[in-house]
Amino acid sequence: MNPDVDTILTRLRGALPDATVELRANPGPAEQHSLLVAPADLPGVCRFLHDELRFDYLSNVTGIDWPDPVLADKVAVPEDDEDSGDPGKATEPQGFLEVVYHLYSHPDRVGPLVLRVRTGDRTDRVEIPSVVSIWRSAEFQEREIYDLFGVRFTGHPDLRRILMWDEFVDHPMRKDYVAPDDFEYEPTPHAEVLERARTHYPATEKD
Amino acid sequence: MAIDPKLAGELKPAGIHVTSFESLINWGRSSSLWPMQFGLACCAIEMIAATMAKYDMARFGAEVFRPSPRQADLMLVAGTVTKKMAPLVVRLYNQMAEPKYVIAMGACAISGGPFKQGYNVLKGIDRYIPVDIVIPGCPPRPEALLDGLLALRKKIAGEKLIGDHRVRHADPKGTAEFPVPEYGAHDLQPAANREIWNPDPVVHEEAAD
């Protein structure tokens, strides 16, 4: 069953008054509300959840890429047109990477408690403290997020790529990743694929 | 060289079997295929099922799965070949002794299958090694694998070992090794072995234009 997030939040704030923890409500029928935790406060919050609230099982860690708003399709063009052509000077809310943790408590039979942590941006400030010292199961999953999204987990004992090969650069699950164009013949190309087919195999003979 | 069927028919009641050396060798090879024991994804489960009692691949002499490429002569590429795995598959193929055959089992091994548009799956093992038999399916049923195996047996039985159109492994100029691709920054280098992989360049134009 879903944990009582309000109670957890109250206890968290009582124990860690300085921690920045925010409730993000999920209005859907699942009602899986989540807690948005500041990266710096993550180790303390997780330690408290593990030791005091008995969340002994970290079932899942995953990543989300929130690109810069200028890359999104449905964002209106900003009013000051001088800056609109320069993606380097984006509008104020920059893109970021988010890491989501799903916690369960076996003794209390509750879960998942959803934690969300956001990085400062998508390029330089991508550090998030590792929780491997609290839940050992985070080790491979944090490596996977590092591999595919590029979040750097500080304090991780062995932060290497896990799925892609070591020589790989970039992080393929990011929304702006462009896969290599190794187009192969397709029997019925259409739309985008047809355009790519034309660039790879220009028609030499007339039909 | 063809055997005179009349002569063969006359000698048969006398207990003499007339055949060519080529046929004899091919019969031996096709009747005792030793697959290499490795699986890459869910197709391997069907491959395992084909070897078990219900489907019993042993009926066709192909039950001796060898855990070493040195002892195997059939590579069953059963499953998704990721770009990370592809160089290892090619290297294993290179380590197999001639004559050697490849069956690409399932949509992934043939073309990348449902992962064709992805960033990390090889779009068909035929980009790097020559494939003798392709078995479509996702995954193919054990019956399909057995059918592919029988097709391969038929193919081996018809191999020319001498003359102009001889098979690769009987040709002194034929190569037993194919270049192993390197891991690149985003893709394997090269992305395909163009000497053996040249897909149909025809682009079917729409009827409107």
Side-chain angles (χ1 to χ4, degrees), chain A residues 11-205:
Chain A
R11 290 194 62 181
L12 258 178
R13 285 187 173 143
L16 304 163
D18 296 335
T20 315
V21 184
E22 223 179 285
L23 177 70
R24 288 296 170 112
N26 178 354
E31 292 189 322
Q32 285 190 353
H33 311 301
S34 54
L35 297 176
L36 185 63
V37 186
D41 300 323
L42 184 69
V45 169
C46 288
R47 181 53 73 185
F48 179 78
L49 290 173
H50 180 270
D51 293 350
E52 305 298 325
L53 300 186
R54 301 197 288 180
F55 280 96
D56 56 349
Y57 177 48
L58 174 67
S59 96
N60 180 42
V61 187
T62 189
I64 305 172
D65 180 22
W66 297 97
D68 296 342
V70 286
L71 292 176
D73 287 329
K74 291 177 181 171
V75 171
V77 178
E79 287 173 14
D80 47 343
D81 284 331
E82 300 91 61
D83 282 351
S84 63
D86 185 8
K89 292 179 182 174
T91 45
E92 185 49 37
Q94 287 279 339
F96 51 86
L97 302 165
E98 185 172 293
V99 179
V100 182
Y101 302 82
H102 285 83
L103 301 174
Y104 286 79
S105 168
H106 282 132
D108 295 340
R109 300 172 73 89
V110 294
L113 174 67
V114 185
L115 296 185
R116 296 155 68 148
V117 187
R118 290 175 176 178
T119 62
D121 57 22
R122 299 171 74 245
T123 49
D124 307 319
R125 295 179 292 141
V126 291
E127 269 109 21
I128 284 181
S130 169
V131 296
V132 173
S133 56
I134 302 167
W135 295 286
R136 186 66 201 273
S137 58
E139 184 180 344
F140 276 14
Q141 306 205 50
E142 286 183 352
R143 276 179 68 183
E144 185 177 340
I145 295 165
Y146 161 70
D147 188 356
L148 302 182
F149 288 95
V151 177
R152 302 195 73 86
F153 291 92
T154 51
H156 191 285
D158 184 25
L159 196 63
R160 286 180 292 133
R161 288 189 180 275
I162 188 169
L163 294 177
M164 307 307 288
W165 51 92
D166 292 341
E167 292 85 349
F168 198 84
V169 295
D170 258 328
H171 304 286
M173 287 294 275
R174 289 199 184 191
K175 301 235 180 233
D176 52 0
Y177 176 75
V178 181
D181 185 14
D182 48 350
F183 181 83
E184 188 180 329
Y185 166 73
E186 290 188 20
T188 56
H190 57 276
E192 245 179 75
V193 181
L194 180 62
E195 286 310 310
R196 285 175 66 195
R198 285 204 179 102
T199 60
H200 280 262
Y201 305 115
T204 51
E205 52 191 301

Side-chain angles (χ1 to χ4, degrees), chain B residues 95-185:
Chain B
Q95 288 173 349
M96 288 165 66
E98 291 278 22
K100 53 190 174 185
Y101 307 94
V102 177
I103 290 181
M105 179 180 181
C108 294
I110 295 170
S111 70
F115 314 110
K116 191 183 172 77
Q117 309 293 340
Y119 56 88
N120 66 335
V121 171
L122 186 70
K123 295 164 180 57
I125 192 62
D126 58 340
R127 287 181 169 229
Y128 293 115
I129 57 177
V131 172
D132 294 282
I133 300 288
V134 296
I135 306 174
C138 188
R141 285 189 58 85
E143 292 95 328
L145 176 58
L146 294 179
D147 190 51
L149 184 71
L150 292 177
L152 180 63
R153 281 168 56 114
K154 208 175 279 178
K155 181 176 180 175
I156 296 171
E159 276 184 346
K160 292 267 174 287
L161 303 180
I162 48 173
D164 289 338
H165 300 289
R166 69 181 92 174
V167 292
R168 189 195 71 242
H169 59 76
D171 189 346
K173 292 195 288 289
T175 176
E177 291 199 17
F178 292 86
V180 179
E182 305 269 337
Y183 294 124

Side-chain angles (χ1 to χ4, degrees), chain B residues 1-3 17-30 156-157 159-162:
Chain B
M1 194 184 296
I3 307 299
H17 189 67
V18 184
T19 184
S20 67
F21 200 53
E22 188 177 78
S23 305
L24 184 67
I25 287 179
N26 287 341
W27 170 77
R29 281 178 178 160
S30 67
I156 296 171
E159 276 184 346
K160 292 267 174 287
L161 303 180
I162 48 173

Side-chain angles (χ1 to χ4, degrees), chain B residues 56-123:
Chain B
D56 199 10
M57 218 153 94
R59 289 179 292 162
F60 310 108
E63 81 280 21
V64 191
F65 277 75
R66 304 309 293 183
S68 161
R70 306 292 186 197
Q71 301 170 350
D73 47 19
L74 168 61
M75 178 181 249
L76 265 162
V77 185
T80 313
V81 188
T82 59
K83 285 174 182 171
K84 196 172 179 178
M85 193 68 189
L88 312 178
V89 175
V90 177
R91 180 161 288 131
L92 283 171
Y93 178 79
N94 287 346
Q95 288 173 349
M96 288 165 66
E98 291 278 22
K100 53 190 174 185
Y101 307 94
V102 177
I103 290 181
M105 179 180 181
C108 294
I110 295 170
S111 70
F115 314 110
K116 191 183 172 77
Q117 309 293 340
Y119 56 88
N120 66 335
V121 171
L122 186 70
K123 295 164 180 57

